[in-house]
Amino acid sequence: MSATFFLTLFLAASAQDDVRTQVEAYLGTIDTPIAADRWRALGPAAAPILEATARDGGAMPSRRARAVEALSFVGAPGAADLMIELARREGEPPIVRASALRGAGNLLPAARLVAAARPIMEGAADLHVRAAAAEVLARRAPREACSPVRAQVAREPSDRALAFSRALAACAATPER
């Protein structure tokens, strides 16, 4: 094999290491949000690293949630399916599920988002997951979802309705069907 071949392999491995280092640095931030364009700049090489972190049940929930969000910016084949899978799992930490719902909102067309997120809004055990689903639906698919969002809020105990304030605000400009 030629020296050029080995140099190409070395450079590819080095570039992957650079991406991994940058992903780890971004995921390790505590108080500094990383903008979507900075995640996108890492390119598709970041996707497998982010997906592995998102799936890692042993990782801190906040780290997993950041990885899920970043994966929704980077995009990858199967990223939307992973978002739905994580959002549906009752055993996942609420922060991971809420991040997966927001990620699904970034990746899915409105009809598929409604089909995936409405059952979560209506049936999730955790109030904050239900509210996150409602907010994503209200922002991304208001015509299809605001009527069901309003109905869900009406089913919630009155002391929990405040959790849905963002969803209701997003629906405020959408006429009821």
Side-chain angles (χ1 to χ4, degrees):
M1 297 200 175
S2 72
T4 304
F5 174 77
F6 286 111
L7 179 59
T8 302
L9 283 178
F10 172 77
L11 291 175
S14 178
Q16 183 63 25
D17 287 345
D18 290 346
V19 169
R20 179 174 296 283
T21 299
Q22 195 63 57
V23 166
E24 293 298 329
Y26 286 172
L27 290 176
T29 63
I30 295 171
D31 296 330
T32 307
I34 306 301
D37 60 330
R38 290 178 69 189
W39 285 111
R40 285 186 198 104
L42 296 176
I49 302 163
L50 293 167
E51 183 176 341
T53 303
R55 290 184 182 278
D56 182 2
M60 292 293 296
S62 58
R63 183 178 182 82
R64 292 179 64 206
R66 273 188 240 120
V68 168
E69 178 185 40
L71 186 59
S72 79
F73 298 141
V74 170
D81 293 333
L82 175 61
M83 302 295 158
I84 294 167
E85 176 188 329
L86 291 172
R88 285 181 177 158
R89 279 195 211 149
E90 282 291 337
E92 291 291 348
I95 189 173
V96 172
R97 294 181 75 194
S99 187
L101 285 160
R102 287 188 297 275
N106 291 340
L107 296 172
L108 294 174
R112 188 164 173 220
L113 178 64
V114 171
R118 184 173 174 183
I120 296 167
M121 175 187 72
E122 294 172 347
D126 187 88
L127 168 67
H128 301 292
V129 172
R130 292 194 308 276
E135 182 179 357
V136 168
L137 287 167
R139 289 184 190 283
R140 291 279 295 123
R143 292 200 187 281
E144 299 89 347
C146 280
S147 183
V149 165
R150 291 179 184 111
Q152 180 62 36
V153 173
R155 285 190 294 273
E156 295 286 337
S158 60
D159 64 330
R160 295 183 177 190
L162 184 61
F164 292 84
S165 60
R166 290 186 201 154
L168 291 172
C171 287
T174 304
E176 292 198 38
R177 292 175 137 210

